[in-house]
Amino acid sequence: MDPASAETPPEARSHVGLLAFVCTLSMITYLDRACFSMALNPIAGELGLADASQLKWAITAFAIAYAAFEIPAGAMGDRLGAKVMLTRIVLWWSACTALTGLIGLPIGGVVTGGLGSLILLRFLFGAGEAGAYPNITRALHERLPARNWETAQGLVFMSGRLAGGLTPLLWAVLVGGTASSPPWITWRGAFLIFGAVGVVWAVAFRLGFRDRPSGRLDDAEPSRPRSHAAIPWMALITNRTLWALCIMYLSVNYAWAFNISYLPTYVEERFGIGAEDRIGAIYKGAPLWVGAVGCFLGGPAIHGLTRLIGDRRRARQVLGFSAFTLGAICWWAAIRSQDVHAFCILISLAAFMVDVTLGASWATCQDLGREHAALTAACMNTVGTLGNALAGWLTGTIVGGSIAAQAVARHVAPEALDAVDKRIAALSGYDAAFGTYVLAFVVAAVCWIFIHPSRPLVANDEAAFAPATA
């Protein structure tokens, strides 16, 4: 055999390089998101707030801005290319991550910002990070053949979930300290370090990533150059499959957002597991660890169902409906669980059910959008992010309302409640919020019945609409 023929083809090396960049990007995205949820209690303490639920608008501001700027960032990615957009996105959010470490810091008798400054900074953070995943989708759409879309998207989200799951453990080691040793760094230092990691990635990406693929993706599929066509607003607004995708993604984002926002605080309050507890850190990251496995298995699951059913898009429907039905059951059981092991296992299984469908969801955007893949993905993710915003605000509101009701019953101000009464009221509020997560999974399952992109978003993309069979 000719040794030259055994070498990895240039196209394959290009695919590996692309996946390396977008997977590490996804990891940094979740690292920066998860570190904020880990810092809720110390930030609340620094700002003189009664509890972490009073940071609900800081959590919500990120999601609102992320949703508001997602479609513009996706449309720009379709026109300018992934390289320009992703470099700008990562530098922006890395700066915001680093600046978060300065909130409430006293310098020379002056405090560098309070709650209002934090809310504004989180809004800017969301605006800067918006478009990351739609532009990743654009890069994958340009460079990978359709048969690899679900697997590639699964690897991207798997990487993010792994990083998000690792963050509580990393936080416990760096910031938590132990009874016998002090923390390595403060929570402020952690934000500065995580921001620097993003800058390093952006420099490497700028130097090492070629924006346009060369040649054809494979012998069976035409290459997909960037589109400069007008944005098909009417097609986006009137497409029923896209609406079903958006409502589905809003629902699962609403139910999933707890894992990346209030979960660490809830575990600490309900089960008495402190920030320094290494095993507790694993529990806090468990939904992301287990979800990473779901991301990895999503592509193979679609391949297997496609061979069984004979229709790739129908396979996505079967997987989505089944997974979200099981997810609803898991959250229903988690509400009734009495120990940390059962609770974390059940909500982790629910997270698995979300993540096993991510590849199918984002690949459906590619199927539907074609030359407008980033824009279509941005539409889905915009509405989905509204689910995150709703979860951050509504969960905090429900928990805060429960505490306020307990205060009224005790004839005291909320801040005057003793620790036991406040804890009981907060946990009662969380239980009420969990019931809404069950409903969200049911809605998402129903939506998959209506998600079947038999035709592309724009009629003149028909020729590029690849067969949906295995």
Side-chain angles (χ1 to χ4, degrees):
M1 180 179 181
D2 183 358
S5 64
E7 294 179 356
T8 304
E11 181 182 287
R13 290 198 299 270
S14 175
H15 293 172
V16 171
L18 168 64
L19 285 173
F21 272 124
V22 297
C23 286
T24 52
L25 168 57
S26 186
M27 294 178 75
I28 298 169
T29 300
Y30 275 82
L31 179 71
D32 289 346
R33 292 185 191 183
C35 73
F36 185 73
S37 68
M38 291 302 302
L40 288 182
N41 279 332
I43 290 175
E46 290 277 357
L47 297 179
L49 304 178
D51 59 80
S53 70
Q54 292 185 318
L55 290 170
K56 65 182 180 183
W57 280 112
I59 296 171
T60 305
F62 171 91
I64 290 173
Y66 193 99
F69 289 90
E70 187 83 341
I71 290 177
M76 290 176 67
D78 280 331
R79 289 183 172 273
L80 302 179
K83 184 172 184 175
V84 171
M85 290 303 298
L86 290 177
T87 302
R88 191 276 300 164
I89 286 168
V90 176
L91 287 175
W92 184 314
W93 97 52
S94 297
C96 290
T97 299
L99 289 172
T100 302
L102 302 180
I103 290 293
L105 178 67
I107 301 176
V110 178
V111 176
T112 58
L115 179 59
S117 298
L118 178 62
I119 292 172
L120 175 61
L121 184 58
R122 292 297 295 175
F123 183 89
L124 293 174
F125 194 141
E129 189 174 317
Y133 284 98
N135 280 286
I136 287 174
T137 297
R138 180 70 207 184
L140 296 177
H141 182 78
E142 286 183 340
R143 291 169 175 262
L144 297 184
R147 64 179 180 274
N148 294 336
W149 286 350
E150 289 93 352
T151 299
Q153 293 280 9
L155 289 173
V156 168
F157 282 98
M158 179 192 74
S159 302
R161 298 306 202 234
L162 285 174
L166 176 64
T167 301
L169 184 59
L170 187 61
W171 190 273
V173 172
L174 296 178
V175 183
T178 65
S180 59
S181 63
W184 289 16
I185 57 175
T186 66
W187 67 269
R188 298 183 186 280
F191 278 94
L192 293 173
I193 290 173
F194 294 161
V197 170
V199 174
V200 171
W201 182 92
V203 172
F205 181 69
R206 185 70 182 177
L207 296 175
F209 181 79
R210 282 185 4 187
D211 206 14
R212 280 184 181 270
S214 59
R216 296 167 68 88
L217 293 171
D218 55 34
D219 292 337
E221 190 173 351
S223 60
R224 291 180 287 268
R226 287 200 306 270
S227 172
H228 293 274
I231 297 174
W233 292 117
M234 186 55 65
L236 289 167
I237 293 171
T238 59
N239 189 278
R240 288 179 292 180
T241 289
L242 182 57
W243 273 103
L245 267 173
C246 290
I247 295 171
M248 175 275 297
Y249 214 58
L250 181 149
S251 301
V252 296
N253 270 271
Y254 173 79
W256 187 90
F258 174 78
N259 302 321
I260 203 75
S261 55
Y262 293 104
L263 175 60
T265 301
Y266 178 81
V267 169
E268 290 172 12
E269 290 184 358
R270 181 176 180 185
F271 303 109
I273 296 175
E276 75 286 349
D277 191 304
R278 305 294 194 266
I279 301 300
I282 295 175
Y283 285 134
K284 294 170 186 175
L288 286 93
W289 289 108
V290 176
V293 178
C295 293
F296 179 77
L297 294 178
I302 290 296
H303 294 326
L305 285 170
T306 301
R307 286 193 295 270
L308 181 65
I309 298 172
D311 186 320
R312 194 172 200 83
R313 299 178 191 115
R314 187 70 66 184
R316 295 173 189 159
Q317 286 183 299
V318 172
L319 180 65
F321 180 84
S322 303
F324 292 149
T325 300
L326 291 173
I329 294 171
C330 288
W331 257 113
W332 179 84
I335 298 171
R336 289 154 178 77
S337 62
Q338 297 300 317
D339 64 88
V340 66
H341 311 289
F343 178 81
C344 288
I345 288 171
L346 286 165
I347 66 168
S348 297
L349 288 174
F352 175 92
M353 298 306 169
V354 171
D355 290 346
V356 78
T357 69
L358 285 180
S361 299
W362 287 78
T364 299
C365 290
Q366 292 173 253
D367 250 346
L368 187 64
R370 291 288 152 172
E371 292 309 316
H372 299 281
L375 179 60
T376 306
C379 289
M380 181 186 76
N381 209 28
T382 293
V383 180
T385 303
L386 293 177
N388 283 333
L390 178 62
W393 173 80
L394 185 58
T395 301
T397 298
I398 292 173
V399 173
S402 181
I403 293 173
Q406 180 75 335
V408 170
R410 298 291 187 185
H411 305 290
V412 298
E415 56 271 16
L417 276 175
D418 63 45
V420 174
D421 283 341
K422 182 179 288 186
R423 175 179 177 274
I424 292 172
L427 294 180
S428 176
Y430 278 117
D431 284 344
F434 295 163
T436 66
Y437 301 165
V438 175
L439 178 61
F441 269 99
V442 172
V443 171
V446 172
C447 284
W448 267 108
I449 298 174
F450 302 97
I451 298 172
H452 189 71
S454 56
R455 301 181 69 85
L457 192 67
V458 179
N460 60 13
D461 285 339
E462 189 75 43
F465 204 59
T469 53

